[in-house]
Each structure stands twice: as structure tokens, then as C-alpha cells.
Amino acid sequence: MQRLPLTYIRPGMKTFEEVVDPSGRVLCGKGVVITEDMLKRFQELGVSYVTVEGTPVVLPWEKTLEEELKELEARFEGIEEENLLQIKELIKELLFEKFKFSRPE
Amino acid sequence: MIDSSEKRKEVKKKLRKLEGLPTLPPIVQKLNLLIEDERVSLHQIADLIEKDQVITTKVLRLANSAFYGFPRKVSTVSQAMMLLGMNVLKILIMTSSIFDIIHKEDVGLWEHSIGVAACAKIIAEKTEIKDPQEIATAGLLHDLGRVIEMVSFREESKEIIALISQGEEPLQAERKILGLDHAEIGAFLMRQWNLPERLIEAVSAHHQLDLSKKFKKESACLHLSDVLVHARGYGRTLYDKVPPLDPSVFKILGLSLPEIKEIIFSLEPKLYELKFFTEELKKELS
């Protein structure tokens, strides 16, 4: 799944979860193929993000888990302070969690 | 050898005159007069701001970006005034040109700044610091001194970077070349602009918590945000490695490790959204 700003959403993409407006009202269920008309409606009702199935858009700034971990090590190179090392472990946890869910289906 | 106390005087003199920096937009002076006048309604203030379309657009864009995290779109100045408060609105207007500069000069620093703003907001809310929107705004401005170095002290800025690449600690490198570091420069300018003391102190102490006297929680919030955003690797600053963390932040803010984890996990989706925000600005500028 991929969460994208409305401007990145194209007709034909399939919703991964419900689409809700800013007040939490459900506009569309999950597993629905998005049409041109639905996009217009989302825009009118102030939807800013939609989560779709798969990873239809390549975001050039997104890194792989390997890259993330390598850069994390580099940023913490030589650091021995205990609190910072704990923060490093938390970020590792975050990364593993993040990549567990964003693997292409 | 450069005499750093002489240099320090020279730098401060230049800062007082703001050479090479865009001056405050003319609207700021009018705005200050209106705010002081008790007979003037908020509505009238909003009217004045809206007359300046460029500033209105910039302010609304900032108000809508993920670091403030409002669920609904902020589409009018009155709404922004209600949601952000007069203080924040004023700061955004005063500093709107600075944000343009950061974005054009150094996207990495801009990303770092908005990341710190988002993180500071999360921490301020969690630890019940008054006016989290103001703290987020201090986050946005915390490296203001770096922007000034880049724009008004170009030559010195190169020397600083050269020293750092030879292994000098960033704050020390700035002090050696300019006689003062970016936290001091930022706070100096914020004081000249009469911004709230709470925010000035937090900016001045964001690398050295012991400089904070009256606003320890605010300062600790910015310090921790700065370290966490560096640790996550969002944006770029003079620090290639994660900067030192003063362990007293945990006590000052009353935060435990599981709570730090919550902060890191709630920051991630904000950073994800902010990347789109930066990209959008980049497209507009190119």
C-alpha cells in the first residue's frame, strides 16, 4: 500500500483503506477502483491523502531498508552516549516496522 | 589568527543593520500598530493582512503544512489567526521571506527546520507545554542563524564548512570564524524583531540546554526535537553525525523511553507528508 496526496492519485488506482473527509466521514470503502468523478468529489470535500493498493508511484526520495540502515549507522558512527544509542535502537524498530508494511504486495 | 571578540563585535554590528538580508515586509509595521491598538478588531487585522496577497499565500501555505497538523484546510487569514494565534501569525508574516531564502539556498536545512517544527509540536503537546503552535514556530526558526550565515556572511560560511570538514565541531567552527554560533545569531535577530522571549530562549539554547534559565521546557523541547530529527536523518545541517544530547531533557520534559518511542513513531507520518510539501515548493521555484 501507498499513502499519497490527492494530486498523485489517478483514476484506476484501487483504495487500500477507506477514504475519509476531514471530519472523519467515510466517502469510499476499501478495495474500490477510483474513477475521475470520485477524484473530483474527494477534492471538493477536502480530502488531502488517499491510501491505495500496491506502490503505483515511484517517489525518488524513498530509500530501501538497506539504505536506511546504512545511513543510520553512518549518522551514529562513533557515538557512545547511552541515550543516543537507545534512540538509535528506536529508529531501527521504526524502520523495520515501516518496511514490514510497505513491501509491495 | 582571527581575533574572535573583534569579529564578534563586527558581526553583531552587521546584524543590527541586517545588511544583505531582506528587510521586514512593510506590512509588519502597520500590523504592529494595529495589534497594539485595543479598539481594532481581529477582523480589521485580518483585512489588512489579506490585502497583501503574496504574504497571505505564503502564510496560508505554512499554516496548512503538516508541522501544524490541522485536519481541515486553513483557507482564510481569520481562520489562521484563530488556529495559530496572533503571535504565530505575526512571526510567520515577519519571517516569510526568510523561509523563501532557506528553501532556495539550502533545501536540506529547510527540510531539517520543518522536521524540527513538526517534532517540537508533537513533544509540546505530549508534555503539555503552553501554545504548541508557538513552539512549532520556534522549531521552524531554530536554525535562523545558519540562514543568516549563508546569506550575509558568505565567505565566513565557506570557512566554517572548511573547518568542519577538517574535523572541527560545528559550533566551535562557527565561534572561531564569526565569534558566535548560529544559535546566538538567530536569538540575536529574534530579539531585534521583538519576538516572544520564550521562543528566543529556546532558540538560543537549542544546542546548549544550560543556557536556558526561564523556559527550560521549551528549550528542552527544541533540543530534543533537533536531535531526534538528526537521528532520523531528515534534512541536512552542519552536523553529519547526530549532535550531542543533554540527558537532562528527559527529566525536564518528564519523558520516558516508551514515550520517546511514541514521539518517534508519530513523527514519521508527518515527515512523510512534509516531503511532498517540500517537493511542491521545489517545483514552483524551478
Side-chain angles (χ1 to χ4, degrees), chain B residues 157-176:
Chain B
S157 208
K158 281 180 207 153
E159 292 171 42
I160 292 169
I161 289 167
L163 267 188
I164 295 171
S165 66
Q166 289 160 26
E168 182 62 275
E169 197 276 330
L171 293 179
Q172 289 303 336
E174 291 177 300
R175 287 176 199 143
K176 269 190 188 159

Side-chain angles (χ1 to χ4, degrees), chain B residues 8 12 15-16 18 21 24 28 32 90-91 94-95 141-142 144-145 148 180-206 211-215 219:
Chain B
R8 188 185 162 89
K12 285 200 168 181
L15 287 176
R16 272 189 206 98
L18 286 178
L21 251 197
L24 295 182
V28 170
N32 277 334
K90 206 175 102 183
I91 296 170
M94 290 175 76
T95 50
L141 285 177
H142 81 288
L144 170 69
I148 308 302
L180 61 179
D181 60 57
H182 69 274
E184 228 184 326
I185 295 177
F188 184 86
L189 270 182
M190 288 170 76
R191 189 160 285 121
Q192 287 219 113
W193 296 340
N194 285 317
L195 297 189
E197 190 54 39
R198 194 163 86 102
L199 307 189
I200 299 175
E201 188 172 303
V203 167
S204 93
H206 81 270
L211 290 178
S212 164
K213 299 283 175 278
K214 269 194 290 187
F215 302 101
S219 305

